[in-house]
Amino acid sequence: MGQQKFITIYEALKADILQGHYGYREQLPSEPSLANTYDVSRETVRKALNMLSNDGKIQKIKGKGSVVIYQGMTEFPLADLRSFKEVQAELGRTYDTEVKVLEIVKALDVPTVKHALDLTAEQQLWHVVRLRHYEHNTKIIDEDYFLTEIVPNLTEAIARDSIYDYIEHNLGRKISYSNKTITFEPFSDQEYQYFGEINPPYTATVRGVVYLENTTKFQYNISKHLATEFQFNDFSRRRPE
């Protein structure tokens, strides 16, 4: 398993939890059992379990061992710029994407987007609204605006699969970086329509401007997650003074 065996064990157990092999409140195998399964020492297993505990995946309870506390949160990394298709592949969860809106609008019709992307009034944008369903429930509303001059000929099939994949592999353009903000907001009519009656009726809303490698702004994204199922993961290291 290489030099850092505990990382391999951590990744394997994390994948099992994310994919539902170990459900909420279910107990993981004991340390001796895991040590035997992976042919390592109990100390190596303990390091892996400590990482899972620090990630909020398990709670180590005296007399009971390691219990899963992960409840299927939507863990989408804000620090990285990845397509939804790439993220769900990493999480090991299969979402169904439903395209609700695919239309062309003028920048003057969406002033916030016009300002964010520094557009003229007559420039055209693809307006795309996609619902991400997991186990027949809507979990995410993705609303995007793409410059048509950068991303031509969008189709429902492309939007359902991966627009980023289309941009990079079919159009040969390089997506480079983005700026994002996150706010917690009460439901609007759109959220009630797609999410239904949820309590509390709040979304964790991530807004971002995305740039090509040549610094061209080409996308404005609004990604709305159920606040009760959203978990922001980040890593910060204090710099020495």
Side-chain angles (χ1 to χ4, degrees):
M1 274 192 266
Q3 292 183 347
Q4 294 188 322
K5 297 180 180 180
F6 71 93
I7 293 178
T8 301
I9 298 169
Y10 158 76
E11 293 288 356
L13 291 174
K14 179 181 177 182
D16 283 341
I17 292 170
L18 291 176
Q19 293 170 23
H21 298 309
Y22 296 113
Y24 178 57
R25 292 185 176 177
E26 189 173 342
Q27 190 172 339
L28 294 184
S30 66
E31 289 183 7
S33 176
L34 289 170
N36 182 62
T37 298
Y38 291 99
D39 192 23
V40 296
S41 69
R42 288 184 63 176
E43 180 59 30
T44 298
V45 168
R46 200 167 290 125
K47 287 181 179 179
L49 294 177
N50 285 339
M51 290 181 68
L52 288 171
S53 178
N54 291 337
D55 278 357
K57 299 292 185 297
I58 64 171
Q59 178 70 39
K60 299 177 78 173
I61 301 174
K62 189 174 181 179
K64 287 189 176 182
S66 300
V67 177
V68 176
I69 60 173
Y70 172 77
Q71 299 185 64
M73 295 289 186
T74 305
E75 293 189 9
F76 290 101
L78 300 187
D80 297 327
L81 182 53
R82 283 180 277 176
S83 69
F84 185 87
K85 184 177 181 179
E86 292 167 332
V87 170
Q88 70 169 330
E90 179 178 312
L91 294 178
R93 302 177 72 182
T94 301
Y95 289 76
D96 294 319
T97 295
E98 180 184 0
V99 181
K100 298 297 291 187
V101 177
L102 179 63
E103 62 182 0
I104 292 178
V105 298
K106 289 185 177 181
L108 62 86
D109 296 323
V110 279
T112 298
V113 181
K114 175 180 177 295
H115 175 74
L117 299 183
D118 297 323
L119 304 177
T120 64
E122 295 302 310
Q123 282 185 276
Q124 293 187 326
L125 297 150
W126 286 105
H127 176 214
V128 187
V129 178
R130 290 170 288 182
L131 306 185
R132 314 296 191 176
H133 302 298
Y134 183 69
E135 294 182 345
H136 308 294
N137 294 313
T138 302
K139 295 295 186 180
I140 303 166
I141 303 170
D142 273 329
E143 184 169 15
D144 292 282
Y145 294 88
F146 296 94
L147 267 172
T148 57
E149 60 200 66
I150 300 294
V151 188
N153 305 320
L154 271 188
T155 66
E156 185 172 325
I158 292 170
R160 193 164 47 245
D161 181 48
S162 172
I163 295 176
Y164 276 16
D165 186 74
Y166 170 69
I167 291 170
E168 294 195 315
H169 295 98
N170 292 76
L171 301 180
R173 298 183 181 275
K174 178 65 176 176
I175 300 168
S176 186
Y177 61 98
S178 69
N179 295 322
K180 299 178 184 178
T181 60
I182 177 171
T183 56
F184 288 85
E185 303 171 2
F187 275 17
S188 67
D189 289 342
Q190 182 192 55
E191 284 77 75
Y192 278 114
Q193 177 184 354
Y194 295 142
F195 286 134
E197 294 290 336
I198 301 293
N199 189 34
Y202 280 81
T203 63
T205 301
V206 183
R207 291 181 172 85
V209 174
V210 187
Y211 299 73
L212 295 177
E213 192 173 36
N214 64 3
T215 73
T216 299
K217 301 177 184 180
F218 78 99
Q219 176 194 3
Y220 186 83
N221 168 256
I222 309 163
S223 187
K224 297 188 176 184
H225 307 247
L226 290 171
T228 53
E229 298 187 8
F230 182 84
Q231 178 174 314
F232 170 61
N233 284 337
D234 197 8
F235 175 81
S236 300
R237 187 188 301 278
R238 180 171 168 79
R239 296 181 180 181
E241 294 182 357

